[in-house]
Amino acid sequence: MSNMNRFSSECLVLEGFDLSVGSELPVLTKSAGRIQTTVFCAAIRNFHQVHFDEQMCHKQGWTTIIVPGFLMGNWCIESVTKALGAQSLVQSARFKMTSVAYVDRPLKVVGEVAKLENRGDRTIVTCKLRVVDEYDQVVTVATVVASTPAEVA
């Protein structure tokens, strides 16, 4: 069975997953620990103290170390590519932190399909996502646009 078995301008059907405008993406549950946060920041050369210095965070009034916004943006991309499958290609991603998220706390990436476009051999899927904390407070908002192979006639 191919990754995609049907396309129309209103509905995209992936392996057992009916993806149409307004449909919800599967929830992606995440939590960043101190080590993951430190390694991620080192990899992207983000050396801001809020991501590793707990004493400084306490002095600023925060509970503990803050999860990097770029990491939560990556989780939004992961959510979309997991839903669309291995042959999906990210076209663009935009995200914005709306509040702080702390390490070692449960976070969920939730979202929905906002738009579907048929572009010949690819289907363009625009998704609106949110990262929410354990209190359902939105800490990041994102828009991810990805493409997936369209059905071969």
Side-chain angles (χ1 to χ4, degrees):
M1 179 181 196
S2 69
N3 188 37
M4 181 181 317
N5 51 27
R6 184 183 71 185
F7 174 82
S8 75
S9 61
E10 298 173 4
C11 180
L12 178 64
V13 179
L14 301 172
E15 290 179 14
F17 186 68
D18 193 21
L19 193 60
S20 57
V21 173
S23 67
E24 293 182 8
L25 298 174
V27 174
L28 183 63
T29 303
K30 290 290 193 175
S31 178
R34 295 165 196 269
I35 292 172
Q36 180 185 16
T37 298
T38 301
V39 170
F40 181 83
C41 286
I44 66 168
R45 301 181 55 80
N46 177 354
F47 303 111
H48 198 291
Q49 284 181 282
V50 298
H51 304 308
F52 64 86
D53 186 341
E54 190 165 23
Q55 275 189 329
M56 190 278 301
C57 289
H58 287 275
K59 286 179 185 175
Q60 295 297 321
W62 292 309
T63 305
T64 188
I65 296 168
I66 296 172
V67 176
F70 281 106
L71 182 56
M72 291 186 283
N74 280 329
W75 292 342
C76 292
I77 293 168
E78 179 184 348
S79 175
V80 171
T81 57
K82 278 187 171 185
L84 295 180
Q87 293 188 17
S88 61
L89 301 172
V90 175
Q91 306 294 308
S92 67
R94 294 182 324 178
F95 64 92
K96 177 182 177 181
M97 288 185 69
T98 57
S99 184
V100 296
Y102 297 114
V103 295
D104 300 321
R105 304 278 175 88
L107 298 167
K108 293 186 292 188
V109 181
V110 297
E112 60 279 333
V113 177
K115 185 177 180 181
L116 292 173
E117 299 173 72
N118 186 357
R119 295 237 182 113
D121 65 338
R122 304 289 294 177
T123 300
I124 308 300
V125 183
T126 302
C127 298
K128 301 287 185 178
L129 300 106
R130 299 166 308 287
V131 179
V132 296
D133 65 14
E134 70 265 38
Y135 307 108
D136 286 327
Q137 177 181 340
V138 177
V139 295
T140 299
V141 293
T143 300
V144 177
V145 179
S147 68
T148 190
E151 178 183 69
V152 178

PDB file of all heavy atoms in Angstrom, residues 13-38:
ATOM      1  N   VAL A  13      -5.987  11.122   2.275  1.00  0.00           N
ATOM      2  CA  VAL A  13      -6.035   9.914   3.078  1.00  0.00           C
ATOM      3  C   VAL A  13      -4.657   9.268   3.088  1.00  0.00           C
ATOM      4  O   VAL A  13      -4.135   8.878   2.054  1.00  0.00           O
ATOM      5  CB  VAL A  13      -7.083   8.920   2.519  1.00  0.00           C
ATOM      6  CG1 VAL A  13      -7.091   7.652   3.358  1.00  0.00           C
ATOM      7  CG2 VAL A  13      -8.457   9.558   2.504  1.00  0.00           C
ATOM      8  N   LEU A  14      -4.045   9.202   4.258  1.00  0.00           N
ATOM      9  CA  LEU A  14      -2.776   8.522   4.438  1.00  0.00           C
ATOM     10  C   LEU A  14      -3.064   7.199   5.123  1.00  0.00           C
ATOM     11  O   LEU A  14      -4.157   6.981   5.613  1.00  0.00           O
ATOM     12  CB  LEU A  14      -1.838   9.389   5.278  1.00  0.00           C
ATOM     13  CG  LEU A  14      -1.537  10.759   4.682  1.00  0.00           C
ATOM     14  CD1 LEU A  14      -0.769  11.603   5.682  1.00  0.00           C
ATOM     15  CD2 LEU A  14      -0.739  10.633   3.401  1.00  0.00           C
ATOM     16  N   GLU A  15      -2.076   6.345   5.191  1.00  0.00           N
ATOM     17  CA  GLU A  15      -2.248   5.022   5.783  1.00  0.00           C
ATOM     18  C   GLU A  15      -3.060   5.077   7.069  1.00  0.00           C
ATOM     19  O   GLU A  15      -2.554   5.409   8.127  1.00  0.00           O
ATOM     20  CB  GLU A  15      -0.885   4.399   6.071  1.00  0.00           C
ATOM     21  CG  GLU A  15      -0.129   4.012   4.833  1.00  0.00           C
ATOM     22  CD  GLU A  15       1.224   3.413   5.168  1.00  0.00           C
ATOM     23  OE1 GLU A  15       1.470   3.054   6.326  1.00  0.00           O
ATOM     24  OE2 GLU A  15       2.037   3.330   4.251  1.00  0.00           O
ATOM     25  N   GLY A  16      -4.339   4.755   6.967  1.00  0.00           N
ATOM     26  CA  GLY A  16      -5.198   4.706   8.132  1.00  0.00           C
ATOM     27  C   GLY A  16      -5.468   6.048   8.793  1.00  0.00           C
ATOM     28  O   GLY A  16      -6.001   6.099   9.886  1.00  0.00           O
ATOM     29  N   PHE A  17      -5.106   7.152   8.149  1.00  0.00           N
ATOM     30  CA  PHE A  17      -5.256   8.463   8.767  1.00  0.00           C
ATOM     31  C   PHE A  17      -5.897   9.404   7.768  1.00  0.00           C
ATOM     32  O   PHE A  17      -5.296   9.762   6.768  1.00  0.00           O
ATOM     33  CB  PHE A  17      -3.883   8.983   9.208  1.00  0.00           C
ATOM     34  CG  PHE A  17      -3.949  10.265   9.984  1.00  0.00           C
ATOM     35  CD1 PHE A  17      -4.511  10.294  11.244  1.00  0.00           C
ATOM     36  CD2 PHE A  17      -3.447  11.433   9.452  1.00  0.00           C
ATOM     37  CE1 PHE A  17      -4.577  11.468  11.960  1.00  0.00           C
ATOM     38  CE2 PHE A  17      -3.503  12.614  10.155  1.00  0.00           C
ATOM     39  CZ  PHE A  17      -4.065  12.627  11.419  1.00  0.00           C
ATOM     40  N   ASP A  18      -7.119   9.779   8.023  1.00  0.00           N
ATOM     41  CA  ASP A  18      -7.871  10.664   7.140  1.00  0.00           C
ATOM     42  C   ASP A  18      -7.511  12.107   7.485  1.00  0.00           C
ATOM     43  O   ASP A  18      -7.828  12.589   8.566  1.00  0.00           O
ATOM     44  CB  ASP A  18      -9.360  10.419   7.343  1.00  0.00           C
ATOM     45  CG  ASP A  18     -10.204  11.055   6.261  1.00  0.00           C
ATOM     46  OD1 ASP A  18      -9.674  11.343   5.179  1.00  0.00           O
ATOM     47  OD2 ASP A  18     -11.409  11.249   6.505  1.00  0.00           O
ATOM     48  N   LEU A  19      -6.823  12.778   6.585  1.00  0.00           N
ATOM     49  CA  LEU A  19      -6.323  14.118   6.832  1.00  0.00           C
ATOM     50  C   LEU A  19      -7.070  15.102   5.945  1.00  0.00           C
ATOM     51  O   LEU A  19      -6.907  15.098   4.731  1.00  0.00           O
ATOM     52  CB  LEU A  19      -4.817  14.149   6.527  1.00  0.00           C
ATOM     53  CG  LEU A  19      -4.004  15.327   6.981  1.00  0.00           C
ATOM     54  CD1 LEU A  19      -4.064  15.494   8.488  1.00  0.00           C
ATOM     55  CD2 LEU A  19      -2.560  15.131   6.558  1.00  0.00           C
ATOM     56  N   SER A  20      -7.915  15.925   6.545  1.00  0.00           N
ATOM     57  CA  SER A  20      -8.667  16.915   5.785  1.00  0.00           C
ATOM     58  C   SER A  20      -8.588  18.248   6.519  1.00  0.00           C
ATOM     59  O   SER A  20      -8.191  18.311   7.682  1.00  0.00           O
ATOM     60  CB  SER A  20     -10.115  16.465   5.608  1.00  0.00           C
ATOM     61  OG  SER A  20     -10.722  16.237   6.855  1.00  0.00           O
ATOM     62  N   VAL A  21      -8.970  19.310   5.832  1.00  0.00           N
ATOM     63  CA  VAL A  21      -8.936  20.634   6.452  1.00  0.00           C
ATOM     64  C   VAL A  21      -9.771  20.588   7.732  1.00  0.00           C
ATOM     65  O   VAL A  21     -10.907  20.134   7.727  1.00  0.00           O
ATOM     66  CB  VAL A  21      -9.455  21.715   5.483  1.00  0.00           C
ATOM     67  CG1 VAL A  21      -9.584  23.065   6.188  1.00  0.00           C
ATOM     68  CG2 VAL A  21      -8.525  21.830   4.276  1.00  0.00           C
ATOM     69  N   GLY A  22      -9.165  21.009   8.821  1.00  0.00           N
ATOM     70  CA  GLY A  22      -9.833  21.004  10.118  1.00  0.00           C
ATOM     71  C   GLY A  22      -9.555  19.757  10.954  1.00  0.00           C
ATOM     72  O   GLY A  22      -9.835  19.755  12.150  1.00  0.00           O
ATOM     73  N   SER A  23      -9.007  18.715  10.341  1.00  0.00           N
ATOM     74  CA  SER A  23      -8.738  17.505  11.125  1.00  0.00           C
ATOM     75  C   SER A  23      -7.545  17.728  12.049  1.00  0.00           C
ATOM     76  O   SER A  23      -6.614  18.460  11.729  1.00  0.00           O
ATOM     77  CB  SER A  23      -8.517  16.296  10.221  1.00  0.00           C
ATOM     78  OG  SER A  23      -7.335  16.423   9.483  1.00  0.00           O
ATOM     79  N   GLU A  24      -7.600  17.085  13.203  1.00  0.00           N
ATOM     80  CA  GLU A  24      -6.538  17.235  14.193  1.00  0.00           C
ATOM     81  C   GLU A  24      -5.389  16.285  13.909  1.00  0.00           C
ATOM     82  O   GLU A  24      -5.598  15.144  13.514  1.00  0.00           O
ATOM     83  CB  GLU A  24      -7.087  16.973  15.592  1.00  0.00           C
ATOM     84  CG  GLU A  24      -8.084  18.014  16.040  1.00  0.00           C
ATOM     85  CD  GLU A  24      -8.585  17.787  17.455  1.00  0.00           C
ATOM     86  OE1 GLU A  24      -8.042  16.904  18.157  1.00  0.00           O
ATOM     87  OE2 GLU A  24      -9.514  18.500  17.850  1.00  0.00           O
ATOM     88  N   LEU A  25      -4.181  16.780  14.125  1.00  0.00           N
ATOM     89  CA  LEU A  25      -3.000  15.934  14.031  1.00  0.00           C
ATOM     90  C   LEU A  25      -2.915  15.091  15.305  1.00  0.00           C
ATOM     91  O   LEU A  25      -3.406  15.504  16.355  1.00  0.00           O
ATOM     92  CB  LEU A  25      -1.741  16.791  13.916  1.00  0.00           C
ATOM     93  CG  LEU A  25      -1.642  17.683  12.685  1.00  0.00           C
ATOM     94  CD1 LEU A  25      -0.418  18.581  12.782  1.00  0.00           C
ATOM     95  CD2 LEU A  25      -1.588  16.859  11.432  1.00  0.00           C
ATOM     96  N   PRO A  26      -2.284  13.927  15.222  1.00  0.00           N
ATOM     97  CA  PRO A  26      -2.089  13.152  16.453  1.00  0.00           C
ATOM     98  C   PRO A  26      -1.284  13.976  17.468  1.00  0.00           C
ATOM     99  O   PRO A  26      -0.356  14.695  17.107  1.00  0.00           O
ATOM    100  CB  PRO A  26      -1.274  11.938  15.990  1.00  0.00           C
ATOM    101  CG  PRO A  26      -1.551  11.833  14.523  1.00  0.00           C
ATOM    102  CD  PRO A  26      -1.752  13.241  14.040  1.00  0.00           C
ATOM    103  N   VAL A  27      -1.660  13.884  18.730  1.00  0.00           N
ATOM    104  CA  VAL A  27      -0.965  14.618  19.788  1.00  0.00           C
ATOM    105  C   VAL A  27       0.433  14.034  19.964  1.00  0.00           C
ATOM    106  O   VAL A  27       0.614  12.817  19.999  1.00  0.00           O
ATOM    107  CB  VAL A  27      -1.747  14.539  21.118  1.00  0.00           C
ATOM    108  CG1 VAL A  27      -0.965  15.171  22.255  1.00  0.00           C
ATOM    109  CG2 VAL A  27      -3.112  15.193  20.964  1.00  0.00           C
ATOM    110  N   LEU A  28       1.418  14.906  20.062  1.00  0.00           N
ATOM    111  CA  LEU A  28       2.801  14.506  20.288  1.00  0.00           C
ATOM    112  C   LEU A  28       3.173  14.963  21.704  1.00  0.00           C
ATOM    113  O   LEU A  28       3.144  16.158  21.997  1.00  0.00           O
ATOM    114  CB  LEU A  28       3.717  15.159  19.252  1.00  0.00           C
ATOM    115  CG  LEU A  28       5.191  14.813  19.286  1.00  0.00           C
ATOM    116  CD1 LEU A  28       5.414  13.327  19.006  1.00  0.00           C
ATOM    117  CD2 LEU A  28       5.954  15.655  18.273  1.00  0.00           C
ATOM    118  N   THR A  29       3.476  14.022  22.584  1.00  0.00           N
ATOM    119  CA  THR A  29       3.823  14.341  23.963  1.00  0.00           C
ATOM    120  C   THR A  29       5.347  14.406  24.092  1.00  0.00           C
ATOM    121  O   THR A  29       6.052  13.514  23.627  1.00  0.00           O
ATOM    122  CB  THR A  29       3.257  13.280  24.920  1.00  0.00           C
ATOM    123  OG1 THR A  29       1.836  13.213  24.736  1.00  0.00           O
ATOM    124  CG2 THR A  29       3.558  13.623  26.366  1.00  0.00           C
ATOM    125  N   LYS A  30       5.823  15.480  24.720  1.00  0.00           N
ATOM    126  CA  LYS A  30       7.263  15.705  24.844  1.00  0.00           C
ATOM    127  C   LYS A  30       7.603  16.219  26.244  1.00  0.00           C
ATOM    128  O   LYS A  30       6.744  16.739  26.959  1.00  0.00           O
ATOM    129  CB  LYS A  30       7.741  16.752  23.825  1.00  0.00           C
ATOM    130  CG  LYS A  30       7.705  16.287  22.391  1.00  0.00           C
ATOM    131  CD  LYS A  30       8.757  15.248  22.157  1.00  0.00           C
ATOM    132  CE  LYS A  30       8.981  14.961  20.701  1.00  0.00           C
ATOM    133  NZ  LYS A  30      10.087  14.046  20.487  1.00  0.00           N
ATOM    134  N   SER A  31       8.870  16.098  26.588  1.00  0.00           N
ATOM    135  CA  SER A  31       9.426  16.688  27.795  1.00  0.00           C
ATOM    136  C   SER A  31      10.922  16.821  27.553  1.00  0.00           C
ATOM    137  O   SER A  31      11.566  15.868  27.124  1.00  0.00           O
ATOM    138  CB  SER A  31       9.170  15.798  29.011  1.00  0.00           C
ATOM    139  OG  SER A  31       9.765  16.361  30.160  1.00  0.00           O
ATOM    140  N   ALA A  32      11.451  17.993  27.812  1.00  0.00           N
ATOM    141  CA  ALA A  32      12.888  18.204  27.622  1.00  0.00           C
ATOM    142  C   ALA A  32      13.563  18.210  28.982  1.00  0.00           C
ATOM    143  O   ALA A  32      13.177  18.967  29.870  1.00  0.00           O
ATOM    144  CB  ALA A  32      13.146  19.522  26.906  1.00  0.00           C
ATOM    145  N   GLY A  33      14.568  17.367  29.132  1.00  0.00           N
ATOM    146  CA  GLY A  33      15.355  17.357  30.352  1.00  0.00           C
ATOM    147  C   GLY A  33      16.510  18.337  30.242  1.00  0.00           C
ATOM    148  O   GLY A  33      16.763  18.934  29.194  1.00  0.00           O
ATOM    149  N   ARG A  34      17.238  18.476  31.307  1.00  0.00           N
ATOM    150  CA  ARG A  34      18.373  19.402  31.339  1.00  0.00           C
ATOM    151  C   ARG A  34      19.458  19.009  30.340  1.00  0.00           C
ATOM    152  O   ARG A  34      20.023  19.862  29.665  1.00  0.00           O
ATOM    153  CB  ARG A  34      18.959  19.465  32.741  1.00  0.00           C
ATOM    154  CG  ARG A  34      18.012  20.046  33.736  1.00  0.00           C
ATOM    155  CD  ARG A  34      18.473  19.773  35.168  1.00  0.00           C
ATOM    156  NE  ARG A  34      17.385  20.012  36.089  1.00  0.00           N
ATOM    157  CZ  ARG A  34      17.158  21.177  36.674  1.00  0.00           C
ATOM    158  NH1 ARG A  34      17.939  22.195  36.424  1.00  0.00           N
ATOM    159  NH2 ARG A  34      16.150  21.322  37.489  1.00  0.00           N
ATOM    160  N   ILE A  35      19.745  17.721  30.258  1.00  0.00           N
ATOM    161  CA  ILE A  35      20.801  17.273  29.341  1.00  0.00           C
ATOM    162  C   ILE A  35      20.374  17.515  27.894  1.00  0.00           C
ATOM    163  O   ILE A  35      21.145  18.048  27.091  1.00  0.00           O
ATOM    164  CB  ILE A  35      21.155  15.792  29.583  1.00  0.00           C
ATOM    165  CG1 ILE A  35      21.829  15.649  30.954  1.00  0.00           C
ATOM    166  CG2 ILE A  35      22.067  15.264  28.475  1.00  0.00           C
ATOM    167  CD1 ILE A  35      22.055  14.226  31.398  1.00  0.00           C
ATOM    168  N   GLN A  36      19.135  17.135  27.539  1.00  0.00           N
ATOM    169  CA  GLN A  36      18.661  17.360  26.173  1.00  0.00           C
ATOM    170  C   GLN A  36      18.699  18.844  25.824  1.00  0.00           C
ATOM    171  O   GLN A  36      19.119  19.226  24.735  1.00  0.00           O
ATOM    172  CB  GLN A  36      17.241  16.826  25.991  1.00  0.00           C
ATOM    173  CG  GLN A  36      16.720  17.049  24.577  1.00  0.00           C
ATOM    174  CD  GLN A  36      15.267  16.645  24.399  1.00  0.00           C
ATOM    175  OE1 GLN A  36      14.533  16.467  25.361  1.00  0.00           O
ATOM    176  NE2 GLN A  36      14.857  16.516  23.149  1.00  0.00           N
ATOM    177  N   THR A  37      18.282  19.683  26.751  1.00  0.00           N
ATOM    178  CA  THR A  37      18.282  21.127  26.517  1.00  0.00           C
ATOM    179  C   THR A  37      19.704  21.644  26.297  1.00  0.00           C
ATOM    180  O   THR A  37      19.966  22.405  25.366  1.00  0.00           O
ATOM    181  CB  THR A  37      17.619  21.854  27.706  1.00  0.00           C
ATOM    182  OG1 THR A  37      16.264  21.414  27.796  1.00  0.00           O
ATOM    183  CG2 THR A  37      17.642  23.347  27.534  1.00  0.00           C
ATOM    184  N   THR A  38      20.624  21.204  27.120  1.00  0.00           N
ATOM    185  CA  THR A  38      22.018  21.642  26.995  1.00  0.00           C
ATOM    186  C   THR A  38      22.628  21.178  25.675  1.00  0.00           C
ATOM    187  O   THR A  38      23.273  21.963  24.973  1.00  0.00           O
ATOM    188  CB  THR A  38      22.852  21.124  28.181  1.00  0.00           C
ATOM    189  OG1 THR A  38      22.270  21.626  29.394  1.00  0.00           O
ATOM    190  CG2 THR A  38      24.294  21.575  28.084  1.00  0.00           C
TER     191      THR A  38
END
